[in-house]
Amino acid sequence: MKLYEDVWTLMHDLGCDFTEEEKALISVRTQIGGQLLAYRAKHKITQKELAKRVGVSPTTIAHLERGDTDTSVKTLVRICQKLGGNLNIDLGLDNIE
C-alpha cells in the first residue's frame, strides 16, 4: 500500500488535479467546516442550535461544515462574534517584494 505525504498527491494519482487557487479554496473551506464541527461537538449542540445562536439557517451551517459553499466575510465575522471567537486572515502578502 502506498502512503501519501499529502492529499494533493493522492488526488493527482486518482486523476484529479487542482490549481493552486482551488487548493487554497478547499483548504479554507475545510478549516471553516472543521472548526464549526469541533465547536458543535465540544458544546454538544445540533446544527439547528448553532444556526440559531449565530443567526443563519441550519442549511447554511450544513453547507459550511461540508465545505461546499462560499460565504461572505460578513457572515464569518458574525459567526465568530456570536461564538466569542475572532476571524484572523493572513493573505500572505508580507514577504512579497
Side-chain angles (χ1 to χ4, degrees):
M1 172 192 267
K2 181 176 180 178
L3 296 178
Y4 289 92
E5 293 181 26
D6 60 56
V7 68
W8 307 116
T9 305
L10 169 64
M11 296 304 289
H12 173 75
D13 285 357
L14 293 172
C16 301
D17 290 312
F18 296 93
T19 65
E20 291 303 312
E21 182 178 342
E22 290 168 326
K23 288 178 184 179
L25 181 59
I26 291 167
S27 177
V28 168
R29 286 177 171 177
T30 302
Q31 289 176 48
I32 293 167
Q35 288 183 43
L36 290 175
L37 279 166
Y39 182 90
R40 282 198 315 107
K42 180 178 180 180
H43 296 277
K44 297 180 174 83
I45 61 173
T46 65
Q47 288 179 339
K48 186 175 181 179
E49 291 168 322
L50 179 58
K52 186 175 181 179
R53 285 187 190 185
V54 301
V56 300
S57 71
T59 302
T60 297
I61 296 297
H63 285 294
L64 288 169
E65 287 183 352
R66 284 194 311 264
D68 62 2
T69 189
D70 290 327
T71 192
S72 69
V73 173
K74 182 178 180 178
T75 299
L76 291 176
V77 168
R78 181 178 346 133
I79 290 170
C80 290
Q81 288 178 337
K82 296 281 186 172
L83 299 180
N86 56 47
L87 184 61
N88 297 314
I89 298 174
D90 179 4
L91 297 178
L93 302 176
D94 298 2
N95 299 323
I96 297 178
E97 294 183 28

